Amino acid sequence: MIALVPLGIAMEWSGKTDPLLPEWEMKWEQADANSLKEAAAAPDQEWIKVSANAARPLPPAGVSAAWLRFTIPKVTTNSALLIDKVYGNTIKAYWNNEIVYDSSQLVNFNGSKVLIPLSPKDGNGPMYLWSSGGGKGFGVEGGVRTGNYDKLIALYVKQDLVDMVLGAALIFMAAVLMTCLLFVRAELFSGGLWLVLVILSFGVLFITYSPFLPLILHNQGRLIETFFDLALFTLLPAFTFYFERIFGPGRGKRLVRFRNFQLGYSIFCFGFLLLNTLLSYRLDHLYRIMTVEVMGILMIIQLTYLLGLAVSYAYKGNKDAVIFSLGFAVFAVISLGELLLYFSSAERYHLYWWKWGVIAFVISLIVILGRGFARNYEQAVSYSRDLEKFNNEVQRSEKMEIISELAASVAHEVRNPLQVTRGFLQILGERSGSKEKEYLDMAMQELDRASVIITDFLTFAKPGLDQEDILEVSGELKHVSGILVPLANLQGGAIQLQLQDGLQVLGSSSKFKQAFINLIKNSVESLQENGLIKVSAWKSGSHIMVSVKDNGEGMKVSELARLGEPYYSNKTKGTGLGLMVTFRIIEAMNGSIQFHSKKGEGTEVIVKLPAYRNK
């Protein structure tokens, strides 16, 4: 026997459809007057005609059953009758005084689908259908079609199997996510657990609400109904818990109070379910009020409240909140609309489109999860780069520390002998001839150069600013430029200044000049014919920016990467100490320095220093 099953709103079949009955007849009856003979003998004025597209007539007061009479076209072998919606707990179909269908053991699901096999040997007279019991009235609603049994069962499956597939996919997704949660930290597990319960509950709702499930589980209506209710009791508080985990407790912790009330009501309904089961379902009427009417109103309040909160959070600009709100808005608007239709139609409307709202919402959760994975990956890559940079800085710092200690000790030990030697050479030069004096002057020049190198060593070893003053950046750079203009002119170049006034930093004037003399001098030495050096200074937020840009030879990427290394220089006679000293001075002033260069196009150095704030 084909079991009576709940109905989703019928979708149009893309294939060739079987004939639809345009109309049938209905006669109201008392539940204890189940007599086919009396119904068949009733006069025509007691029967009312019902069109296929018309709404199902509501029973008058005192009526508890109905007879329906269908005119069946001529049938052939392997035929059947498919009714979209039948209301009532007890459904019996008679054809030519023979019962051909009985569903007295099934539970009403507020609009059920029934497929009745027909055989030519039963004749071609009218079919009578008895409908009684249930809380939603009796009768037939929707389409009634006859035709080939195989085609009708295929249509039956095609309309309703999608619920099973979607539900199974959600349950599988929840199982996979739960498995993954077993390997994460405790603080992440609690939040993910609520999402697992939300997805799992949706999956169970899809399957238990599907008209296809009773086709598999014959006469298990109570069991299906119980699983549906348990999933609903779990979904509502779990969804609010998950919402709270994402966006917080809300203003004045209103969301927390609402969640606690919702959790308490779900526990109450679960207890009521157990009590009704123990009492052999004698509390069905009261249980229905608590779990359908009251729970439905609570769902409308929940969806409205959470939708308003989601929109307010999205308005603040959080991208994940926007995605969540869009998905949740689709789900909430569809669910709210269907719930309103359900209650406004005296609970005759059968919920269908909510499942596609759920799919849209789950997709938004997957997108958010994917964005989280992407952010974690980018963060891991960023951490890896920062770690590599940190390791390089540590190695550089260790090298600099060693060189600083060595430079300080060597410089102090060597400077005094050099000064003594220079003094003796100067005395000898005064008593020597012109030829010898020339050689002695060259020797003193080399000693002076060695003294400059030693001074750079000492500055590198001790770059601290012993005496800090408020420096006018524009004035300091103009002074530096004045010193180096003659050298630039000798190279066939020029220095151009673009300096804002009122730029102040804290530091040592001599060390500041030394750093920028080294930078501008390097630019001058890289100039070719018609060379130009632009020195600019401006304020950016809480920092002073100084740019030294030339159109000289430029550097390769490999050369840029080695700038500031001990004793590295791309000059023939360079020691690399000048740039090392510059790095140390800028670092001592809590600043930073960046180089941008391209071979054959020039180099730009950007120094960033904290601006002086007059407290």
Side-chain angles (χ1 to χ4, degrees), residues 46-121:
E46 293 186 14
W47 294 87
I48 59 174
K49 290 188 177 182
V50 180
S51 299
N53 297 324
R56 174 174 56 94
L58 295 178
V63 171
S64 56
W67 279 101
L68 293 100
R69 184 164 63 187
F70 303 96
T71 301
I72 305 298
K74 184 178 180 179
V75 298
T76 58
T77 305
N78 199 30
S79 296
L81 178 75
L82 177 63
I83 306 175
D84 281 346
K85 290 185 181 181
V86 179
Y87 290 84
N89 285 343
T90 302
I91 308 295
K92 295 182 179 181
Y94 301 88
W95 200 20
N96 291 332
N97 299 319
E98 296 290 336
I99 186 166
V100 293
Y101 186 87
D102 188 353
S103 63
S104 57
Q105 300 300 317
L106 296 175
V107 178
N108 172 51
F109 280 82
N110 183 25
S112 305
K113 181 181 293 185
V114 62
L115 183 64
I116 303 173
L118 302 176
S119 173
K121 67 182 181 61

Coordinates of all heavy atoms in Angstrom, one line a residue, residues 46-121:
E46 N -27.1 17.7 -1.7 CA -26.3 17.6 -0.6 C -24.8 17.7 -0.9 O -23.9 17.9 -0.1 CB -26.5 16.4 0.2 CG -27.9 16.3 0.9 CD -28.1 15.1 1.8 OE1 -27.1 14.5 2.1 OE2 -29.3 14.8 2.1
W47 N -24.5 17.6 -2.2 CA -23.1 17.6 -2.6 C -22.8 19.0 -3.2 O -23.6 19.6 -3.9 CB -22.8 16.5 -3.7 CG -23.0 15.1 -3.2 CD1 -24.1 14.4 -3.2 CD2 -21.9 14.3 -2.8 NE1 -23.8 13.1 -2.7 CE2 -22.5 13.1 -2.4 CE3 -20.5 14.5 -2.6 CZ2 -21.7 12.0 -1.9 CZ3 -19.8 13.4 -2.1 CH2 -20.3 12.2 -1.8
I48 N -21.6 19.5 -2.8 CA -21.2 20.8 -3.4 C -20.0 20.6 -4.3 O -19.1 19.7 -4.0 CB -20.8 21.8 -2.2 CG1 -19.7 21.2 -1.4 CG2 -22.0 22.1 -1.4 CD1 -19.2 22.1 -0.3
K49 N -20.0 21.3 -5.4 CA -18.9 21.2 -6.4 C -17.7 22.0 -6.0 O -17.8 23.2 -5.5 CB -19.4 21.6 -7.8 CG -20.4 20.6 -8.3 CD -20.7 20.9 -9.8 CE -21.6 19.9 -10.4 NZ -21.9 20.1 -11.8
V50 N -16.5 21.5 -6.1 CA -15.2 22.1 -5.8 C -14.3 22.1 -7.0 O -14.1 21.1 -7.6 CB -14.5 21.4 -4.6 CG1 -13.2 22.2 -4.3 CG2 -15.4 21.3 -3.4
S51 N -13.9 23.3 -7.4 CA -13.0 23.4 -8.6 C -11.6 23.1 -8.2 O -11.2 23.3 -7.0 CB -13.1 24.8 -9.2 OG -14.4 25.1 -9.6
A52 N -10.8 22.6 -9.1 CA -9.4 22.2 -8.9 C -8.6 23.4 -8.4 O -7.7 23.2 -7.5 CB -8.8 21.6 -10.1
N53 N -8.8 24.6 -8.9 CA -8.0 25.8 -8.5 C -8.6 26.5 -7.3 O -8.0 27.6 -6.9 CB -7.9 26.7 -9.7 CG -7.2 26.1 -10.8 OD1 -6.2 25.3 -10.6 ND2 -7.6 26.4 -12.1
A54 N -9.8 26.1 -6.8 CA -10.4 26.8 -5.7 C -9.8 26.4 -4.4 O -9.2 25.3 -4.2 CB -11.9 26.6 -5.7
A55 N -10.0 27.3 -3.4 CA -9.5 27.0 -2.0 C -10.4 25.9 -1.4 O -11.6 25.8 -1.7 CB -9.5 28.2 -1.2
R56 N -9.8 25.1 -0.5 CA -10.6 24.0 0.1 C -11.7 24.6 1.0 O -11.3 25.5 1.9 CB -9.6 23.2 0.9 CG -10.3 22.1 1.8 CD -9.2 21.2 2.4 NE -8.3 22.0 3.2 CZ -8.4 22.2 4.5 NH1 -9.4 21.7 5.1 NH2 -7.4 22.9 5.1
P57 N -12.9 24.2 0.9 CA -14.0 24.8 1.8 C -13.7 24.4 3.2 O -13.3 23.2 3.5 CB -15.3 24.1 1.2 CG -14.9 23.7 -0.2 CD -13.5 23.3 -0.2
L58 N -13.9 25.3 4.1 CA -13.8 25.1 5.5 C -15.0 24.4 6.1 O -16.1 24.8 5.7 CB -13.4 26.3 6.3 CG -12.1 27.0 5.9 CD1 -11.9 28.3 6.7 CD2 -10.9 26.0 6.2
P59 N -14.9 23.4 7.0 CA -16.1 22.7 7.5 C -16.9 23.6 8.4 O -16.4 24.4 9.2 CB -15.5 21.6 8.3 CG -14.1 22.0 8.7 CD -13.6 22.9 7.6
P60 N -18.2 23.5 8.3 CA -19.1 24.2 9.2 C -19.0 23.7 10.7 O -18.4 22.6 10.9 CB -20.5 24.1 8.6 CG -20.4 22.8 7.8 CD -19.0 22.7 7.3
A61 N -19.6 24.4 11.6 CA -19.5 24.0 13.0 C -20.2 22.6 13.2 O -21.2 22.4 12.6 CB -20.2 25.0 13.9
G62 N -19.6 21.8 14.0 CA -20.2 20.5 14.3 C -19.9 19.4 13.3 O -20.3 18.2 13.5
V63 N -19.2 19.7 12.3 CA -18.8 18.7 11.2 C -17.4 18.2 11.6 O -16.5 18.9 11.9 CB -18.8 19.4 9.8 CG1 -18.3 18.4 8.8 CG2 -20.3 19.7 9.5
S64 N -17.3 16.9 11.5 CA -16.0 16.3 11.8 C -15.5 15.3 10.7 O -14.5 14.6 10.9 CB -16.1 15.5 13.1 OG -17.1 14.5 13.0
A65 N -16.1 15.3 9.5 CA -15.6 14.5 8.4 C -16.2 15.0 7.1 O -17.1 15.9 7.1 CB -16.1 13.0 8.7
A66 N -15.8 14.4 6.0 CA -16.3 14.8 4.7 C -16.1 13.6 3.8 O -15.2 12.8 3.9 CB -15.5 16.0 4.2
W67 N -17.1 13.5 2.8 CA -17.0 12.6 1.7 C -16.7 13.4 0.5 O -17.1 14.5 0.3 CB -18.4 11.9 1.5 CG -18.7 10.7 2.4 CD1 -19.4 10.7 3.5 CD2 -18.1 9.4 2.2 NE1 -19.5 9.5 4.1 CE2 -18.7 8.7 3.3 CE3 -17.3 8.8 1.3 CZ2 -18.3 7.3 3.5 CZ3 -17.0 7.5 1.5 CH2 -17.5 6.7 2.5
L68 N -15.8 12.8 -0.4 CA -15.5 13.4 -1.6 C -15.8 12.4 -2.7 O -15.6 11.2 -2.6 CB -14.0 13.8 -1.7 CG -13.6 15.0 -0.7 CD1 -13.0 14.4 0.5 CD2 -12.7 15.9 -1.4
R69 N -16.3 12.9 -3.9 CA -16.7 12.1 -5.0 C -16.0 12.5 -6.2 O -16.1 13.7 -6.6 CB -18.2 12.1 -5.2 CG -18.7 11.1 -6.3 CD -20.2 10.9 -6.2 NE -20.9 12.1 -6.4 CZ -22.2 12.2 -6.2 NH1 -22.9 11.1 -5.8 NH2 -22.9 13.4 -6.4
F70 N -15.2 11.6 -6.9 CA -14.4 11.9 -8.0 C -14.9 11.1 -9.2 O -15.2 9.9 -9.1 CB -12.9 11.6 -7.9 CG -12.3 12.2 -6.7 CD1 -12.2 11.6 -5.5 CD2 -11.8 13.5 -6.8 CE1 -11.6 12.2 -4.4 CE2 -11.2 14.1 -5.7 CZ -11.1 13.5 -4.5
T71 N -15.0 11.8 -10.4 CA -15.4 11.1 -11.6 C -14.1 10.7 -12.3 O -13.3 11.6 -12.8 CB -16.2 12.0 -12.5 OG1 -17.4 12.4 -11.9 CG2 -16.6 11.3 -13.8
I72 N -13.8 9.4 -12.3 CA -12.5 8.9 -12.8 C -12.7 8.6 -14.3 O -13.6 7.9 -14.7 CB -12.1 7.6 -12.1 CG1 -12.1 7.9 -10.6 CG2 -10.8 7.1 -12.5 CD1 -11.1 8.9 -10.1
P73 N -11.8 9.2 -15.1 CA -11.7 8.8 -16.5 C -11.4 7.3 -16.7 O -11.0 6.6 -15.8 CB -10.6 9.7 -17.1 CG -10.4 10.7 -16.1 CD -10.7 10.1 -14.8
K74 N -11.7 6.8 -17.9 CA -11.4 5.4 -18.2 C -9.9 5.1 -17.9 O -9.0 5.8 -18.4 CB -11.8 5.1 -19.6 CG -11.6 3.6 -19.9 CD -12.0 3.3 -21.4 CE -11.9 1.8 -21.7 NZ -12.3 1.5 -23.1
V75 N -9.7 4.1 -17.1 CA -8.3 3.7 -16.8 C -7.9 2.5 -17.5 O -8.7 1.7 -18.0 CB -8.2 3.5 -15.2 CG1 -8.6 4.7 -14.4 CG2 -9.1 2.3 -14.8
T76 N -6.6 2.4 -17.6 CA -5.9 1.2 -18.2 C -5.1 0.5 -17.2 O -5.0 0.9 -16.0 CB -5.1 1.7 -19.4 OG1 -4.1 2.6 -19.0 CG2 -5.9 2.4 -20.5
T77 N -4.4 -0.5 -17.6 CA -3.5 -1.2 -16.7 C -2.4 -0.3 -16.2 O -1.9 0.5 -16.9 CB -2.9 -2.4 -17.5 OG1 -3.9 -3.2 -18.1 CG2 -2.0 -3.3 -16.5
N78 N -2.1 -0.5 -14.9 CA -1.0 0.3 -14.3 C -1.4 1.8 -14.2 O -0.6 2.6 -14.5 CB 0.3 0.1 -15.0 CG 1.5 0.5 -14.1 OD1 1.4 0.3 -12.9 ND2 2.5 0.9 -14.8
S79 N -2.6 2.1 -13.8 CA -3.0 3.5 -13.6 C -3.0 3.8 -12.2 O -2.9 3.0 -11.3 CB -4.4 3.7 -14.3 OG -4.3 3.5 -15.7
A80 N -3.2 5.1 -11.9 CA -3.2 5.6 -10.5 C -3.9 6.9 -10.4 O -4.0 7.6 -11.5 CB -1.8 5.6 -9.9
L81 N -4.2 7.3 -9.2 CA -4.8 8.6 -8.9 C -3.9 9.3 -7.9 O -3.6 8.8 -6.8 CB -6.2 8.5 -8.3 CG -6.9 9.8 -7.9 CD1 -7.4 10.6 -9.2 CD2 -8.1 9.6 -7.0
L82 N -3.4 10.5 -8.3 CA -2.5 11.3 -7.4 C -3.2 12.5 -6.9 O -3.6 13.4 -7.7 CB -1.2 11.7 -8.1 CG -0.2 12.5 -7.4 CD1 0.4 11.7 -6.1 CD2 1.0 12.9 -8.3
I83 N -3.3 12.7 -5.6 CA -4.0 13.8 -5.0 C -2.9 14.6 -4.3 O -2.2 14.1 -3.4 CB -5.1 13.4 -4.0 CG1 -6.1 12.5 -4.7 CG2 -5.8 14.6 -3.4 CD1 -7.1 11.9 -3.7
D84 N -2.8 15.9 -4.6 CA -1.7 16.8 -4.0 C -1.8 16.9 -2.5 O -0.9 16.7 -1.8 CB -1.7 18.2 -4.7 CG -1.1 18.1 -6.1 OD1 -0.4 17.1 -6.4 OD2 -1.2 19.1 -6.8
K85 N -3.1 17.3 -2.0 CA -3.2 17.5 -0.6 C -4.5 16.9 -0.1 O -5.6 17.2 -0.7 CB -3.3 19.0 -0.3 CG -1.9 19.8 -0.4 CD -2.1 21.2 0.0 CE -0.8 22.0 -0.1 NZ -0.9 23.4 0.3
V86 N -4.4 16.1 0.9 CA -5.6 15.5 1.5 C -5.5 15.8 3.0 O -4.4 15.6 3.6 CB -5.7 14.0 1.3 CG1 -6.9 13.5 2.0 CG2 -5.7 13.7 -0.2
Y87 N -6.6 16.4 3.6 CA -6.6 16.7 5.0 C -7.4 15.7 5.8 O -8.4 15.3 5.4 CB -7.1 18.1 5.2 CG -6.2 19.2 4.7 CD1 -6.2 19.6 3.3 CD2 -5.3 19.9 5.5 CE1 -5.4 20.5 2.8 CE2 -4.5 20.9 5.0 CZ -4.5 21.2 3.7 OH -3.7 22.2 3.2
G88 N -6.9 15.4 7.0 CA -7.6 14.4 7.8 C -6.6 13.3 8.3 O -5.7 12.9 7.6
N89 N -6.9 12.8 9.5 CA -6.0 11.7 10.0 C -6.4 10.3 9.4 O -5.6 9.5 9.2 CB -6.2 11.6 11.5 CG -5.4 12.7 12.2 OD1 -4.6 13.3 11.6 ND2 -5.7 12.9 13.5
T90 N -7.7 10.2 9.1 CA -8.1 8.9 8.5 C -8.6 9.1 7.1 O -9.5 9.9 6.8 CB -9.3 8.3 9.3 OG1 -8.8 8.1 10.7 CG2 -9.7 7.0 8.8
I91 N -8.0 8.5 6.1 CA -8.4 8.6 4.7 C -8.7 7.2 4.2 O -7.9 6.3 4.3 CB -7.2 9.2 3.9 CG1 -6.7 10.5 4.5 CG2 -7.6 9.4 2.5 CD1 -7.7 11.6 4.5
K92 N -9.9 7.1 3.6 CA -10.3 5.8 3.0 C -10.8 6.1 1.6 O -11.6 7.0 1.5 CB -11.3 5.1 3.8 CG -10.8 4.6 5.2 CD -11.8 3.8 6.0 CE -11.3 3.4 7.3 NZ -12.3 2.6 8.1
A93 N -10.4 5.3 0.6 CA -10.9 5.5 -0.7 C -11.7 4.2 -1.2 O -11.2 3.1 -0.9 CB -9.7 5.7 -1.7
Y94 N -12.8 4.4 -1.8 CA -13.7 3.3 -2.3 C -13.9 3.5 -3.7 O -14.2 4.6 -4.2 CB -15.0 3.3 -1.5 CG -14.9 3.2 0.0 CD1 -14.8 4.3 0.8 CD2 -15.0 1.9 0.6 CE1 -14.7 4.2 2.1 CE2 -14.9 1.8 2.0 CZ -14.8 3.0 2.7 OH -14.7 2.9 4.1
W95 N -13.9 2.4 -4.4 CA -14.2 2.4 -5.9 C -15.0 1.2 -6.2 O -14.6 0.0 -6.0 CB -12.9 2.4 -6.7 CG -13.1 2.9 -8.1 CD1 -14.1 3.6 -8.6 CD2 -12.2 2.6 -9.2 NE1 -13.9 3.9 -9.9 CE2 -12.7 3.3 -10.3 CE3 -11.0 1.9 -9.4 CZ2 -12.1 3.2 -11.6 CZ3 -10.4 1.9 -10.6 CH2 -11.0 2.6 -11.7
N96 N -16.3 1.5 -6.6 CA -17.2 0.4 -6.9 C -17.4 -0.5 -5.7 O -17.3 -1.7 -5.8 CB -16.8 -0.5 -8.1 CG -16.9 0.3 -9.4 OD1 -17.7 1.3 -9.5 ND2 -16.1 0.0 -10.4
N97 N -17.7 0.2 -4.5 CA -18.0 -0.5 -3.3 C -16.8 -1.3 -2.7 O -17.0 -2.0 -1.7 CB -19.2 -1.4 -3.4 CG -20.4 -0.6 -3.8 OD1 -20.7 0.5 -3.3 ND2 -21.2 -1.2 -4.7
E98 N -15.6 -1.1 -3.3 CA -14.4 -1.8 -2.7 C -13.4 -0.8 -2.2 O -13.2 0.2 -2.8 CB -13.8 -2.6 -3.9 CG -14.6 -3.8 -4.4 CD -14.8 -4.9 -3.4 OE1 -13.9 -5.0 -2.5 OE2 -15.8 -5.6 -3.5
I99 N -12.9 -1.1 -1.0 CA -11.9 -0.2 -0.5 C -10.6 -0.4 -1.2 O -10.1 -1.5 -1.3 CB -11.8 -0.4 1.1 CG1 -10.8 0.7 1.7 CG2 -11.3 -1.8 1.4 CD1 -10.9 0.8 3.2
V100 N -10.0 0.7 -1.7 CA -8.8 0.6 -2.5 C -7.6 1.3 -1.8 O -6.5 1.3 -2.2 CB -8.9 1.1 -3.9 CG1 -9.9 0.3 -4.7 CG2 -9.4 2.6 -3.9
Y101 N -7.9 2.0 -0.7 CA -6.9 2.8 0.0 C -7.3 3.0 1.5 O -8.5 3.4 1.7 CB -6.6 4.1 -0.6 CG -5.4 4.8 0.0 CD1 -4.1 4.6 -0.5 CD2 -5.6 5.8 1.0 CE1 -3.0 5.2 0.1 CE2 -4.5 6.4 1.6 CZ -3.2 6.2 1.1 OH -2.1 6.8 1.6
D102 N -6.4 2.8 2.5 CA -6.8 3.0 3.9 C -5.5 3.5 4.6 O -4.5 2.9 4.5 CB -7.2 1.7 4.5 CG -7.8 2.0 5.9 OD1 -7.6 3.1 6.4 OD2 -8.3 1.0 6.5
S103 N -5.6 4.7 5.2 CA -4.4 5.3 5.9 C -4.7 5.6 7.3 O -4.3 6.6 7.9 CB -3.9 6.5 5.2 OG -4.9 7.5 5.2
S104 N -5.5 4.8 8.0 CA -6.0 5.1 9.3 C -4.9 5.1 10.4 O -5.1 5.6 11.4 CB -7.1 4.1 9.7 OG -6.6 2.7 9.7
Q105 N -3.7 4.5 10.1 CA -2.7 4.4 11.0 C -1.6 5.6 10.9 O -0.7 5.6 11.6 CB -1.9 3.1 10.9 CG -2.8 1.9 11.1 CD -3.4 1.8 12.4 OE1 -2.7 2.1 13.4 NE2 -4.7 1.5 12.5
L106 N -1.9 6.4 9.9 CA -0.9 7.5 9.7 C -1.3 8.8 10.4 O -2.4 9.0 10.7 CB -0.8 7.8 8.2 CG -0.3 6.7 7.3 CD1 -0.3 7.0 5.9 CD2 1.2 6.3 7.7
V107 N -0.3 9.6 10.7 CA -0.5 10.9 11.4 C -0.6 12.0 10.4 O 0.1 12.1 9.4 CB 0.8 11.2 12.3 CG1 0.6 12.5 13.0 CG2 0.9 10.1 13.4
N108 N -1.6 12.9 10.6 CA -1.8 14.0 9.7 C -0.6 15.0 9.8 O -0.2 15.3 10.9 CB -3.1 14.7 10.1 CG -3.3 16.0 9.3 OD1 -3.2 16.0 8.1 ND2 -3.6 17.1 10.0
F109 N -0.2 15.5 8.6 CA 0.9 16.5 8.6 C 0.4 17.8 7.9 O 1.2 18.5 7.3 CB 2.1 15.9 7.8 CG 2.9 15.0 8.6 CD1 2.6 13.7 8.8 CD2 4.1 15.5 9.2 CE1 3.4 12.9 9.5 CE2 4.9 14.7 10.0 CZ 4.5 13.3 10.1
N110 N -0.9 18.1 8.1 CA -1.4 19.3 7.6 C -1.3 19.4 6.1 O -0.5 20.3 5.6 CB -0.8 20.5 8.3 CG -1.4 21.8 7.8 OD1 -2.5 21.9 7.4 ND2 -0.7 22.9 8.0
G111 N -1.9 18.6 5.4 CA -1.9 18.6 3.9 C -1.0 17.5 3.4 O 0.2 17.6 3.4
S112 N -1.6 16.4 3.1 CA -0.8 15.2 2.7 C -1.0 14.8 1.3 O -2.0 15.2 0.7 CB -1.2 14.0 3.6 OG -1.1 14.4 5.0
K113 N -0.1 14.1 0.7 CA -0.2 13.6 -0.7 C -0.5 12.1 -0.6 O 0.0 11.4 0.2 CB 1.1 13.9 -1.4 CG 1.1 13.5 -2.8 CD 2.5 13.7 -3.4 CE 2.8 15.2 -3.5 NZ 4.1 15.5 -4.2
V114 N -1.3 11.7 -1.6 CA -1.7 10.3 -1.6 C -1.7 9.8 -3.0 O -2.1 10.5 -4.0 CB -3.1 10.1 -0.9 CG1 -4.2 10.8 -1.7 CG2 -3.4 8.6 -0.9
L115 N -1.2 8.6 -3.2 CA -1.1 8.0 -4.6 C -1.9 6.7 -4.5 O -1.5 5.8 -3.7 CB 0.3 7.7 -5.0 CG 0.5 7.1 -6.4 CD1 0.0 8.1 -7.4 CD2 2.0 6.8 -6.6
I116 N -3.0 6.6 -5.2 CA -3.9 5.4 -5.1 C -3.8 4.6 -6.4 O -4.2 5.1 -7.5 CB -5.4 5.9 -4.9 CG1 -5.4 6.7 -3.6 CG2 -6.3 4.7 -4.8 CD1 -6.8 7.3 -3.4
P117 N -3.4 3.4 -6.4 CA -3.3 2.5 -7.6 C -4.7 2.2 -8.1 O -5.7 2.0 -7.3 CB -2.6 1.3 -7.1 CG -1.9 1.6 -5.8 CD -2.8 2.7 -5.2
L118 N -4.9 2.2 -9.4 CA -6.2 1.9 -10.0 C -6.1 0.7 -10.9 O -5.0 0.6 -11.6 CB -6.8 3.1 -10.7 CG -7.0 4.4 -9.9 CD1 -7.4 5.5 -10.8 CD2 -8.0 4.2 -8.8
S119 N -7.1 -0.1 -11.0 CA -7.0 -1.3 -11.9 C -8.3 -1.3 -12.7 O -9.4 -1.0 -12.2 CB -6.9 -2.5 -11.1 OG -7.0 -3.7 -11.9
P120 N -8.3 -1.7 -14.0 CA -9.5 -1.7 -14.8 C -10.5 -2.7 -14.3 O -11.7 -2.5 -14.5 CB -8.9 -2.2 -16.2 CG -7.4 -1.8 -16.2 CD -7.0 -2.0 -14.8
K121 N -10.0 -3.7 -13.6 CA -11.0 -4.7 -13.2 C -11.9 -4.2 -12.1 O -13.0 -4.7 -11.8 CB -10.3 -6.0 -12.6 CG -9.5 -5.7 -11.4 CD -8.7 -7.0 -10.9 CE -8.0 -6.8 -9.6 NZ -8.8 -6.4 -8.5

